[in-house]
Amino acid sequence: MAFKPDQELQKFLDEDLGNGDITSKLLEKRKITAKIITKQETVVAGVNFVKQIFSLKKCRATIIKKNGAKIKPNQVILEIRGDASDVLSCERTALNLLSRMCGIATKTNQLNAIIKKTNSKTKLLATRKTAPGLRYFDKIAVEIGGGERHRMTLNDMIMFKDNHLAVENSIHILIGKAMKTKQKIEIEVENQKDAILAATLGVNIIMLDNFTPHQITNTIKKLDELKLRKKVKIEASGRINEKNISNYAKTGVDMISVGEITHSPQGIDVSLEIN
């Protein structure tokens, strides 16, 4: 079933409205103008979705700062005009989504900048560690911040993780089955021996899970010696953060995936102010 952002945004708004905004309905019926500003430095993300949220209540939102813009505190991101009760009914839903998406884009941008200073070829990836219902928006924010989505859904590519191996108990059998599908194959491994085996069996991507930078360097060196390195992409994952990501980039991996970008984002402080 195709994902429809418009329908999801309506669900977000309905979740907050319940049976109606009984507070805002008490206000005098008149048109107002308002602005959404940031209280922090941020990479802007999600303004198109915020505009859509306000349009659901027939309010007009004008985007002042586009997705990807890097802005200072107290700058205006959007301007809104509409009936007072309608603007205020949309306020929290719009700010919540904007805050989260800006936070994700900003963190992604920070991590990506660290990587690029060390290794311009290494890509920063998001993971599927997202809040249910928010993955599409989280992944869009990652892209705006300079990262890449990796898998959006389970059908994007075959990816064997530790629990798949626990069920089948054979890398040979799993990869053999996967090869018949003609799909891209990634496998998570926990030691150099399995990484070499996976490369020998012809997978496309090997995720080195919870490897130290030193272990990754040694594994890549071994794959080079066996003339297997050029045949696979190498991804580093597990316990990677702002403090150590540079060390992982130095290893020469093709990709670094960081779960905290989306599983625990720090929202940006944004607010709506009536003119």
Side-chain angles (χ1 to χ4, degrees):
M1 183 172 63
F3 182 87
K4 297 181 179 179
D6 291 354
Q7 292 181 3
E8 294 304 306
L9 295 173
Q10 183 66 64
K11 289 179 184 178
F12 294 164
L13 187 58
D14 290 344
E15 176 187 55
D16 201 31
L17 288 174
N19 292 324
D21 182 356
I22 60 176
T23 306
S24 295
K25 283 180 180 178
L26 300 175
L27 298 173
E28 175 186 349
K29 190 170 180 61
R30 67 183 181 89
K31 297 289 184 182
I32 62 168
T33 58
K35 57 189 177 183
I36 293 178
I37 66 170
T38 177
K39 303 293 185 66
Q40 300 174 254
E41 289 189 15
T42 186
V43 174
V44 176
V47 288
N48 50 321
F49 300 125
V50 170
K51 182 175 181 178
Q52 286 178 264
I53 289 170
F54 282 105
S55 71
L56 292 172
K57 297 291 283 183
K58 296 182 169 42
C59 301
R60 189 179 79 246
T62 302
I63 295 171
I64 305 301
K65 298 296 182 181
K66 295 181 179 180
N67 287 334
K70 296 180 181 180
I71 63 173
K72 302 289 185 181
N74 301 315
Q75 289 192 271
V76 178
I77 302 176
L78 297 102
E79 292 180 345
I80 300 98
R81 180 170 176 76
D83 184 79
S85 63
D86 291 331
V87 171
L88 295 180
S89 292
C90 294
E91 176 183 4
R92 181 43 51 198
T93 302
L95 292 180
N96 284 353
L97 186 59
L98 182 66
S99 171
R100 182 180 177 91
M101 291 189 69
C102 285
I104 290 171
T106 301
K107 185 66 174 181
T108 301
N109 187 262
Q110 291 169 348
L111 293 177
N112 199 45
I114 295 171
I115 290 173
K116 296 309 179 189
K117 285 181 181 179
T118 304
N119 187 339
S120 62
K121 295 181 179 180
T122 300
K123 297 177 180 179
L124 176 62
L125 308 181
T127 71
R128 285 172 41 249
K129 294 178 181 178
T130 59
L134 290 173
R135 180 174 301 166
Y136 175 84
F137 303 96
D138 286 358
K139 297 271 194 170
I140 292 293
V142 167
E143 288 188 325
I144 291 170
E148 297 192 8
R149 297 184 185 190
H150 207 348
R151 289 190 300 172
M152 180 68 81
T153 61
L154 290 169
N155 69 300
D156 284 344
M157 70 174 175
I158 294 171
M159 184 171 177
F160 295 123
K161 297 178 75 67
D162 56 350
N163 282 333
H164 298 106
L165 296 173
V167 171
E168 192 67 49
N169 201 30
S170 173
I171 292 178
H172 289 86
I173 292 174
L174 284 176
I175 294 177
K177 289 179 179 179
M179 287 294 184
K180 294 177 182 178
T181 69
K182 307 300 182 183
Q183 299 287 330
K184 182 182 286 188
I185 305 168
E186 178 168 359
I187 188 165
E188 174 189 277
V189 300
E190 297 178 352
N191 57 67
Q192 185 181 111
K193 179 182 176 182
D194 285 346
I196 293 169
L197 175 58
T200 303
L201 294 173
V203 303
N204 304 102
I205 305 170
I206 299 173
M207 178 194 288
L208 306 180
D209 187 44
N210 289 320
F211 279 50
T212 65
H214 180 68
Q215 289 171 326
I216 291 174
T217 299
N218 286 341
T219 299
I220 289 176
K221 181 180 179 181
K222 189 64 177 179
L223 290 170
D224 270 328
E225 292 173 357
L226 296 171
K227 302 190 185 312
L228 294 169
R229 175 66 180 98
K230 293 182 179 180
K231 296 180 179 181
V232 294
K233 298 289 187 182
I234 302 297
E235 176 181 344
S237 182
R239 298 192 289 245
I240 301 174
N241 53 48
E242 186 174 347
K243 293 180 180 179
N244 61 22
I245 198 167
S246 178
N247 292 330
Y248 281 91
K250 290 175 183 177
T251 66
V253 292
D254 301 289
M255 299 165 283
I256 298 174
S257 55
V258 181
E260 73 170 6
I261 296 173
T262 54
H263 73 55
S264 53
Q266 183 69 46
I268 296 296
D269 187 0
V270 291
S271 65
L272 183 144
E273 297 181 0
I274 296 173
N275 296 337

